[in-house]
Amino acid sequence: MTDVQTAPQSDHYIGRFAPSPTGPLHAGSLVAALASYLDAKVHRGAWLVRIEDVDEERSATGVGEGMLALLQTLGMQWDGEVLWQSRRKEAYQAAFDALAGHTYPCGCNRREILDSRLGIAPDGAAIYPGTCRHGLAPGKTMRSLRVRVPDAEGQADRVGFTDRMAGPMVQHLATQSGDFVLKRADGFWAYQLAVVVDDAAQGVTDVVRGADLIDSTPRQIYLQQLLCVPTPRYLHVPVVRNANGEKLSKQTGAAAIAPGSEREAVAALLRSAAFLGLPLTRADSLAGFWHAAPDAWSELLRLRGAA
Ligand code: GLU
């Protein structure tokens, strides 16, 4: 098993918030923004913002800009320049090229993969049975590009890491993910590749994000190892769900955060803080909120025994 010792806590901290602009910022994304921002502040680190518009078809025009404007309204100023994934195609291509020997073209469609009955990965994706591993089957044409994961019996077939809050986690890539997609059938680079390339390019030492991505982390660590780039530390925060138990998203009808006054902005931040369990229940102004919130985050980390 490859158990990754992630970067130690130090004066060198680069965190990030990486929303996908498929819809305006909602209560769920604000929780991830707030947690990553506060973690960067208490570590006296940098907080970067990356707009993950790699899937250009699902990214609505102007939504990324709207997210940035809202962060500023809420008093969350990022460091450095915003990175837009739609402008990073050459970097993803270069990383893909560097993975030569580990990748292969795949001609299977969704239905064929589901029919293989290998099951569904923790993140809901169908586990790929490896049909095209040794070449496209006769009559098939390339749809996507995949990376090979180690075979089921190998020593290196498990990837583990220690989440700062959730603790140790191990995934068996062969049975829990299978060979995964790096370039999608629609021609867009896959999230798993883009996130690894960009976290490395931006020197990210600490990823703080929603727990819906915890199952993607071993795949990302696997890619980091193949690309010989460092593995950041990870902290996954709980995901906000609606009354039906669904993760908030544009698809599940999440309401946009659109404060019309400072009071409403503070109220939105306080709701996110309460969701995270921060010991911070009131603030009269944005300045008051930001004055108190970093200490409340430090206290939360201490209470949860987080590193
Ligand atoms: N873009 C992803 C999302 O909005 C987050 C990616 C990440 O933080 O790694 O869900």
Side-chain angles (χ1 to χ4, degrees):
M1 182 185 109
T2 347
D3 196 359
V4 172
Q5 291 304 315
T6 47
Q9 196 161 332
S10 72
D11 50 358
H12 176 60
Y13 180 114
I14 300 179
R16 50 55 157 199
F17 172 51
S20 303
T22 49
L25 215 74
H26 51 73
S29 22
L30 184 55
V31 162
L34 180 64
S36 62
Y37 180 85
L38 289 177
D39 202 52
K41 292 298 141 186
V42 304
H43 289 90
R44 298 185 206 293
W47 185 65
L48 310 180
V49 172
R50 179 167 78 228
I51 302 292
E52 297 209 321
D53 56 349
V54 68
D55 180 340
E56 293 176 58
E57 245 151 53
R58 287 186 63 222
S59 303
T61 319
V63 171
E65 288 82 355
M67 289 175 155
L68 297 175
L70 177 63
L71 292 174
Q72 283 177 318
T73 302
L74 295 173
M76 301 167 83
Q77 183 57 54
W78 55 89
D79 296 297
E81 274 189 32
V82 173
L83 197 80
W84 295 76
Q85 287 193 327
S86 55
R87 301 175 195 163
R88 302 262 306 143
K89 290 178 190 137
E90 282 172 19
Y92 307 143
Q93 181 67 55
F96 180 80
D97 293 345
L99 292 170
H102 298 282
T103 59
Y104 62 88
C106 170
C108 300
N109 62 32
R110 215 174 279 263
R111 171 71 16 228
E112 288 164 327
I113 299 168
L114 280 174
D115 284 351
S116 77
R117 297 179 197 284
L118 275 194
I120 302 293
D123 65 356
I127 295 169
Y128 185 61
T131 320
C132 297
R133 261 193 158 194
H134 305 292
L136 284 174
K140 281 196 190 280
T141 48
M142 179 184 109
R143 292 173 56 83
S144 59
L145 293 165
R146 289 183 187 268
V147 64
R148 200 184 302 269
V149 301
D151 288 327
E153 291 89 35
Q155 262 296 303
D157 61 339
R158 279 161 214 273
V159 177
F161 71 101
T162 301
D163 185 88
R164 288 171 53 206
M165 229 173 237
M169 156 153 190
V170 177
Q171 209 176 71
H172 187 238
L173 290 179
T175 56
Q176 292 183 276
S177 135
D179 299 344
F180 54 96
V181 171
L182 299 184
K183 194 169 193 186
R184 304 170 1 172
D186 58 14
F188 293 121
W189 292 103
Y191 158 70
Q192 306 292 1
L193 180 71
V195 75
V196 166
V197 171
D198 290 341
D199 281 339
Q202 295 188 288
V204 169
T205 62
D206 285 78
V207 171
V208 177
R209 62 183 177 191
D212 54 316
L213 293 166
I214 201 164
D215 293 317
S216 289
T217 306
R219 268 172 284 171
Q220 293 171 16
I221 292 174
Y222 176 63
L223 286 181
Q224 288 155 3
Q225 291 171 342
L226 290 182
L227 289 166
C228 301
V229 297
T231 290
R233 300 194 310 164
Y234 289 94
L235 190 165
H236 292 87
V237 295
V239 168
V240 184
R241 299 187 182 277
N242 65 18
N244 300 325
E246 300 159 324
K247 182 195 159 200
L248 287 197
S249 69
K250 191 181 166 207
Q251 289 73 27
T252 59
I257 306 250
S261 63
E262 180 167 357
R263 238 188 61 208
E264 285 176 23
V266 173
L269 287 166
L270 282 172
R271 274 195 297 276
S272 296
F275 177 81
L276 284 165
L278 291 190
L280 173 65
T281 49
R282 52 181 310 261
D284 298 329
S285 62
L286 281 171
F289 179 85
W290 292 119
H291 179 72
D295 284 350
W297 177 257
S298 294
E299 179 63 4
L300 180 80
L301 292 180
R302 201 184 59 75
L303 290 172
R304 298 273 167 89

